[in-house]
PDB file of all heavy atoms in Angstrom:
ATOM      1  N   ILE H  92       0.839  -1.195  -0.005  1.00  0.00           N
ATOM      2  CA  ILE H  92       0.021  -0.015   0.001  1.00  0.00           C
ATOM      3  C   ILE H  92       0.862   1.241  -0.009  1.00  0.00           C
ATOM      4  O   ILE H  92       1.883   1.322   0.705  1.00  0.00           O
ATOM      5  CB  ILE H  92      -0.919   0.026   1.235  1.00  0.00           C
ATOM      6  CG1 ILE H  92      -1.778  -1.285   1.247  1.00  0.00           C
ATOM      7  CG2 ILE H  92      -1.793   1.229   1.283  1.00  0.00           C
ATOM      8  CD1 ILE H  92      -2.432  -1.530   2.581  1.00  0.00           C
ATOM      9  N   PHE H  93       0.441   2.242  -0.773  1.00  0.00           N
ATOM     10  CA  PHE H  93       1.149   3.542  -0.803  1.00  0.00           C
ATOM     11  C   PHE H  93       0.227   4.546  -0.190  1.00  0.00           C
ATOM     12  O   PHE H  93      -0.929   4.644  -0.538  1.00  0.00           O
ATOM     13  CB  PHE H  93       1.475   3.935  -2.213  1.00  0.00           C
ATOM     14  CG  PHE H  93       2.141   5.323  -2.332  1.00  0.00           C
ATOM     15  CD1 PHE H  93       3.317   5.594  -1.650  1.00  0.00           C
ATOM     16  CD2 PHE H  93       1.569   6.285  -3.166  1.00  0.00           C
ATOM     17  CE1 PHE H  93       3.907   6.852  -1.763  1.00  0.00           C
ATOM     18  CE2 PHE H  93       2.153   7.546  -3.240  1.00  0.00           C
ATOM     19  CZ  PHE H  93       3.347   7.808  -2.590  1.00  0.00           C
ATOM     20  N   ILE H  94       0.738   5.296   0.839  1.00  0.00           N
ATOM     21  CA  ILE H  94      -0.077   6.303   1.594  1.00  0.00           C
ATOM     22  C   ILE H  94       0.609   7.663   1.539  1.00  0.00           C
ATOM     23  O   ILE H  94       1.774   7.782   1.944  1.00  0.00           O
ATOM     24  CB  ILE H  94      -0.269   5.839   3.041  1.00  0.00           C
ATOM     25  CG1 ILE H  94      -1.054   4.523   3.085  1.00  0.00           C
ATOM     26  CG2 ILE H  94      -1.072   6.924   3.806  1.00  0.00           C
ATOM     27  CD1 ILE H  94      -1.208   3.936   4.474  1.00  0.00           C
ATOM     28  N   THR H  95      -0.089   8.693   1.160  1.00  0.00           N
ATOM     29  CA  THR H  95       0.374  10.058   1.328  1.00  0.00           C
ATOM     30  C   THR H  95      -0.368  10.621   2.547  1.00  0.00           C
ATOM     31  O   THR H  95      -1.453  10.213   2.842  1.00  0.00           O
ATOM     32  CB  THR H  95       0.073  10.967   0.093  1.00  0.00           C
ATOM     33  OG1 THR H  95      -1.348  11.132   0.020  1.00  0.00           O
ATOM     34  CG2 THR H  95       0.616  10.307  -1.183  1.00  0.00           C
ATOM     35  N   GLY H  96       0.309  11.537   3.244  1.00  0.00           N
ATOM     36  CA  GLY H  96      -0.358  12.108   4.453  1.00  0.00           C
ATOM     37  C   GLY H  96      -0.331  11.219   5.639  1.00  0.00           C
ATOM     38  O   GLY H  96      -1.118  11.333   6.596  1.00  0.00           O
ATOM     39  N   GLY H  97       0.639  10.312   5.631  1.00  0.00           N
ATOM     40  CA  GLY H  97       0.766   9.327   6.751  1.00  0.00           C
ATOM     41  C   GLY H  97       1.169   9.929   8.049  1.00  0.00           C
ATOM     42  O   GLY H  97       1.025   9.283   9.147  1.00  0.00           O
ATOM     43  N   THR H  98       1.713  11.160   8.071  1.00  0.00           N
ATOM     44  CA  THR H  98       2.143  11.815   9.314  1.00  0.00           C
ATOM     45  C   THR H  98       0.986  12.629   9.951  1.00  0.00           C
ATOM     46  O   THR H  98       1.216  13.211  11.019  1.00  0.00           O
ATOM     47  CB  THR H  98       3.329  12.685   9.088  1.00  0.00           C
ATOM     48  OG1 THR H  98       3.003  13.665   8.077  1.00  0.00           O
ATOM     49  CG2 THR H  98       4.526  11.886   8.650  1.00  0.00           C
ATOM     50  N   GLY H  99      -0.171  12.750   9.283  1.00  0.00           N
ATOM     51  CA  GLY H  99      -1.275  13.494   9.732  1.00  0.00           C
ATOM     52  C   GLY H  99      -2.182  12.642  10.637  1.00  0.00           C
ATOM     53  O   GLY H  99      -1.919  11.480  10.846  1.00  0.00           O
ATOM     54  N   PHE H 100      -3.206  13.254  11.183  1.00  0.00           N
ATOM     55  CA  PHE H 100      -4.119  12.579  12.108  1.00  0.00           C
ATOM     56  C   PHE H 100      -4.791  11.326  11.473  1.00  0.00           C
ATOM     57  O   PHE H 100      -4.651  10.269  12.000  1.00  0.00           O
ATOM     58  CB  PHE H 100      -5.187  13.577  12.573  1.00  0.00           C
ATOM     59  CG  PHE H 100      -6.230  12.994  13.454  1.00  0.00           C
ATOM     60  CD1 PHE H 100      -5.916  12.395  14.666  1.00  0.00           C
ATOM     61  CD2 PHE H 100      -7.568  13.099  13.099  1.00  0.00           C
ATOM     62  CE1 PHE H 100      -6.889  11.854  15.498  1.00  0.00           C
ATOM     63  CE2 PHE H 100      -8.556  12.521  13.927  1.00  0.00           C
ATOM     64  CZ  PHE H 100      -8.237  11.975  15.115  1.00  0.00           C
ATOM     65  N   VAL H 101      -5.473  11.553  10.347  1.00  0.00           N
ATOM     66  CA  VAL H 101      -6.136  10.436   9.701  1.00  0.00           C
ATOM     67  C   VAL H 101      -5.151   9.400   9.162  1.00  0.00           C
ATOM     68  O   VAL H 101      -5.318   8.225   9.256  1.00  0.00           O
ATOM     69  CB  VAL H 101      -7.020  10.911   8.541  1.00  0.00           C
ATOM     70  CG1 VAL H 101      -7.595   9.741   7.770  1.00  0.00           C
ATOM     71  CG2 VAL H 101      -8.174  11.744   9.102  1.00  0.00           C
ATOM     72  N   GLY H 102      -3.984   9.883   8.679  1.00  0.00           N
ATOM     73  CA  GLY H 102      -2.963   9.023   8.135  1.00  0.00           C
ATOM     74  C   GLY H 102      -2.395   8.062   9.178  1.00  0.00           C
ATOM     75  O   GLY H 102      -2.218   6.887   8.951  1.00  0.00           O
ATOM     76  N   LYS H 103      -2.141   8.607  10.387  1.00  0.00           N
ATOM     77  CA  LYS H 103      -1.611   7.762  11.482  1.00  0.00           C
ATOM     78  C   LYS H 103      -2.621   6.669  11.879  1.00  0.00           C
ATOM     79  O   LYS H 103      -2.247   5.505  12.041  1.00  0.00           O
ATOM     80  CB  LYS H 103      -1.328   8.618  12.710  1.00  0.00           C
ATOM     81  CG  LYS H 103      -0.117   9.543  12.580  1.00  0.00           C
ATOM     82  CD  LYS H 103      -0.019  10.383  13.858  1.00  0.00           C
ATOM     83  CE  LYS H 103       1.085  11.457  13.704  1.00  0.00           C
ATOM     84  NZ  LYS H 103       1.117  12.354  14.887  1.00  0.00           N
ATOM     85  N   LEU H 104      -3.893   7.080  11.997  1.00  0.00           N
ATOM     86  CA  LEU H 104      -4.941   6.093  12.317  1.00  0.00           C
ATOM     87  C   LEU H 104      -5.049   5.017  11.215  1.00  0.00           C
ATOM     88  O   LEU H 104      -5.220   3.818  11.554  1.00  0.00           O
ATOM     89  CB  LEU H 104      -6.284   6.828  12.489  1.00  0.00           C
ATOM     90  CG  LEU H 104      -6.442   7.633  13.753  1.00  0.00           C
ATOM     91  CD1 LEU H 104      -7.704   8.471  13.671  1.00  0.00           C
ATOM     92  CD2 LEU H 104      -6.466   6.760  15.002  1.00  0.00           C
ATOM     93  N   LEU H 105      -4.889   5.406   9.995  1.00  0.00           N
ATOM     94  CA  LEU H 105      -5.018   4.492   8.876  1.00  0.00           C
ATOM     95  C   LEU H 105      -3.867   3.465   8.893  1.00  0.00           C
ATOM     96  O   LEU H 105      -4.079   2.256   8.817  1.00  0.00           O
ATOM     97  CB  LEU H 105      -4.950   5.262   7.542  1.00  0.00           C
ATOM     98  CG  LEU H 105      -4.928   4.455   6.232  1.00  0.00           C
ATOM     99  CD1 LEU H 105      -6.180   3.553   6.147  1.00  0.00           C
ATOM    100  CD2 LEU H 105      -4.826   5.329   5.017  1.00  0.00           C
ATOM    101  N   ILE H 106      -2.681   3.946   9.119  1.00  0.00           N
ATOM    102  CA  ILE H 106      -1.506   3.037   9.196  1.00  0.00           C
ATOM    103  C   ILE H 106      -1.640   2.048  10.337  1.00  0.00           C
ATOM    104  O   ILE H 106      -1.445   0.816  10.204  1.00  0.00           O
ATOM    105  CB  ILE H 106      -0.201   3.876   9.390  1.00  0.00           C
ATOM    106  CG1 ILE H 106       0.107   4.753   8.172  1.00  0.00           C
ATOM    107  CG2 ILE H 106       0.989   2.957   9.685  1.00  0.00           C
ATOM    108  CD1 ILE H 106       1.105   5.840   8.473  1.00  0.00           C
ATOM    109  N   GLU H 107      -2.027   2.588  11.522  1.00  0.00           N
ATOM    110  CA  GLU H 107      -2.156   1.688  12.722  1.00  0.00           C
ATOM    111  C   GLU H 107      -3.193   0.626  12.509  1.00  0.00           C
ATOM    112  O   GLU H 107      -2.981  -0.536  12.812  1.00  0.00           O
ATOM    113  CB  GLU H 107      -2.556   2.595  13.936  1.00  0.00           C
ATOM    114  CG  GLU H 107      -2.422   1.919  15.258  1.00  0.00           C
ATOM    115  CD  GLU H 107      -3.612   1.034  15.600  1.00  0.00           C
ATOM    116  OE1 GLU H 107      -4.721   1.235  15.055  1.00  0.00           O
ATOM    117  OE2 GLU H 107      -3.429   0.103  16.444  1.00  0.00           O
ATOM    118  N   LYS H 108      -4.358   1.006  11.908  1.00  0.00           N
ATOM    119  CA  LYS H 108      -5.422   0.042  11.704  1.00  0.00           C
ATOM    120  C   LYS H 108      -5.042  -1.044  10.703  1.00  0.00           C
ATOM    121  O   LYS H 108      -5.299  -2.199  10.903  1.00  0.00           O
ATOM    122  CB  LYS H 108      -6.705   0.780  11.260  1.00  0.00           C
ATOM    123  CG  LYS H 108      -7.893  -0.116  11.100  1.00  0.00           C
ATOM    124  CD  LYS H 108      -8.380  -0.720  12.406  1.00  0.00           C
ATOM    125  CE  LYS H 108      -9.644  -1.575  12.196  1.00  0.00           C
ATOM    126  NZ  LYS H 108     -10.193  -1.993  13.479  1.00  0.00           N
ATOM    127  N   LEU H 109      -4.418  -0.662   9.625  1.00  0.00           N
ATOM    128  CA  LEU H 109      -3.988  -1.592   8.593  1.00  0.00           C
ATOM    129  C   LEU H 109      -2.997  -2.565   9.192  1.00  0.00           C
ATOM    130  O   LEU H 109      -3.078  -3.780   8.972  1.00  0.00           O
ATOM    131  CB  LEU H 109      -3.327  -0.859   7.422  1.00  0.00           C
ATOM    132  CG  LEU H 109      -4.314  -0.090   6.491  1.00  0.00           C
ATOM    133  CD1 LEU H 109      -3.561   0.761   5.489  1.00  0.00           C
ATOM    134  CD2 LEU H 109      -5.247  -1.054   5.742  1.00  0.00           C
ATOM    135  N   LEU H 110      -1.993  -2.095   9.977  1.00  0.00           N
ATOM    136  CA  LEU H 110      -1.012  -2.969  10.589  1.00  0.00           C
ATOM    137  C   LEU H 110      -1.663  -3.933  11.589  1.00  0.00           C
ATOM    138  O   LEU H 110      -1.277  -5.075  11.655  1.00  0.00           O
ATOM    139  CB  LEU H 110       0.030  -2.103  11.315  1.00  0.00           C
ATOM    140  CG  LEU H 110       0.981  -1.318  10.378  1.00  0.00           C
ATOM    141  CD1 LEU H 110       1.842  -0.371  11.256  1.00  0.00           C
ATOM    142  CD2 LEU H 110       1.934  -2.235   9.611  1.00  0.00           C
ATOM    143  N   ARG H 111      -2.619  -3.417  12.388  1.00  0.00           N
ATOM    144  CA  ARG H 111      -3.180  -4.262  13.419  1.00  0.00           C
ATOM    145  C   ARG H 111      -4.245  -5.268  12.928  1.00  0.00           C
ATOM    146  O   ARG H 111      -4.317  -6.373  13.405  1.00  0.00           O
ATOM    147  CB  ARG H 111      -3.827  -3.313  14.481  1.00  0.00           C
ATOM    148  CG  ARG H 111      -4.403  -4.035  15.667  1.00  0.00           C
ATOM    149  CD  ARG H 111      -4.505  -3.030  16.849  1.00  0.00           C
ATOM    150  NE  ARG H 111      -5.197  -1.796  16.453  1.00  0.00           N
ATOM    151  CZ  ARG H 111      -6.523  -1.641  16.386  1.00  0.00           C
ATOM    152  NH1 ARG H 111      -7.358  -2.611  16.744  1.00  0.00           N
ATOM    153  NH2 ARG H 111      -7.053  -0.462  16.021  1.00  0.00           N
ATOM    154  N   GLU H 112      -5.038  -4.877  11.968  1.00  0.00           N
ATOM    155  CA  GLU H 112      -6.157  -5.744  11.523  1.00  0.00           C
ATOM    156  C   GLU H 112      -5.957  -6.462  10.200  1.00  0.00           C
ATOM    157  O   GLU H 112      -6.781  -7.280   9.861  1.00  0.00           O
ATOM    158  CB  GLU H 112      -7.487  -4.964  11.509  1.00  0.00           C
ATOM    159  CG  GLU H 112      -8.015  -4.619  12.882  1.00  0.00           C
ATOM    160  CD  GLU H 112      -8.391  -5.817  13.795  1.00  0.00           C
ATOM    161  OE1 GLU H 112      -8.635  -6.904  13.134  1.00  0.00           O
ATOM    162  OE2 GLU H 112      -8.387  -5.718  14.970  1.00  0.00           O
ATOM    163  N   CYS H 113      -4.947  -6.073   9.509  1.00  0.00           N
ATOM    164  CA  CYS H 113      -4.678  -6.709   8.172  1.00  0.00           C
ATOM    165  C   CYS H 113      -3.263  -7.314   8.205  1.00  0.00           C
ATOM    166  O   CYS H 113      -2.338  -6.766   7.630  1.00  0.00           O
ATOM    167  CB  CYS H 113      -4.825  -5.725   7.042  1.00  0.00           C
ATOM    168  SG  CYS H 113      -6.435  -4.980   6.923  1.00  0.00           S
ATOM    169  N   PRO H 114      -3.076  -8.440   8.923  1.00  0.00           N
ATOM    170  CA  PRO H 114      -1.758  -8.981   9.170  1.00  0.00           C
ATOM    171  C   PRO H 114      -1.003  -9.435   7.920  1.00  0.00           C
ATOM    172  O   PRO H 114       0.208  -9.556   7.912  1.00  0.00           O
ATOM    173  CB  PRO H 114      -2.054 -10.214  10.082  1.00  0.00           C
ATOM    174  CG  PRO H 114      -3.448 -10.582   9.761  1.00  0.00           C
ATOM    175  CD  PRO H 114      -4.147  -9.282   9.463  1.00  0.00           C
ATOM    176  N   GLY H 115      -1.741  -9.663   6.817  1.00  0.00           N
ATOM    177  CA  GLY H 115      -1.085 -10.166   5.600  1.00  0.00           C
ATOM    178  C   GLY H 115      -0.558  -9.106   4.704  1.00  0.00           C
ATOM    179  O   GLY H 115      -0.034  -9.423   3.605  1.00  0.00           O
ATOM    180  N   ILE H 116      -0.629  -7.838   5.070  1.00  0.00           N
ATOM    181  CA  ILE H 116      -0.081  -6.787   4.253  1.00  0.00           C
ATOM    182  C   ILE H 116       1.399  -6.974   4.027  1.00  0.00           C
ATOM    183  O   ILE H 116       2.149  -7.239   5.019  1.00  0.00           O
ATOM    184  CB  ILE H 116      -0.395  -5.399   4.877  1.00  0.00           C
ATOM    185  CG1 ILE H 116      -1.856  -5.037   4.686  1.00  0.00           C
ATOM    186  CG2 ILE H 116       0.512  -4.312   4.273  1.00  0.00           C
ATOM    187  CD1 ILE H 116      -2.239  -3.733   5.323  1.00  0.00           C
ATOM    188  N   SER H 117       1.871  -6.794   2.800  1.00  0.00           N
ATOM    189  CA  SER H 117       3.305  -6.962   2.556  1.00  0.00           C
ATOM    190  C   SER H 117       4.108  -5.777   3.066  1.00  0.00           C
ATOM    191  O   SER H 117       4.839  -5.848   4.007  1.00  0.00           O
ATOM    192  CB  SER H 117       3.527  -7.153   1.012  1.00  0.00           C
ATOM    193  OG  SER H 117       2.931  -8.281   0.591  1.00  0.00           O
TER     194      SER H 117
END
């Protein structure tokens, strides 16, 4: 996955949720 704005409020929440609930992400 490619994410822009990852250092912002929504971006941080998005990264955290993907890491925690989608374990198969490369």
Side-chain angles (χ1 to χ4, degrees):
I92 302 165
F93 177 58
I94 299 174
T95 68
T98 57
F100 176 59
V101 173
K103 289 177 188 175
L104 287 170
L105 176 60
I106 295 165
E107 194 280 337
K108 183 66 175 187
L109 287 170
L110 289 170
R111 184 162 47 86
E112 287 298 337
C113 300
I116 285 176
S117 297

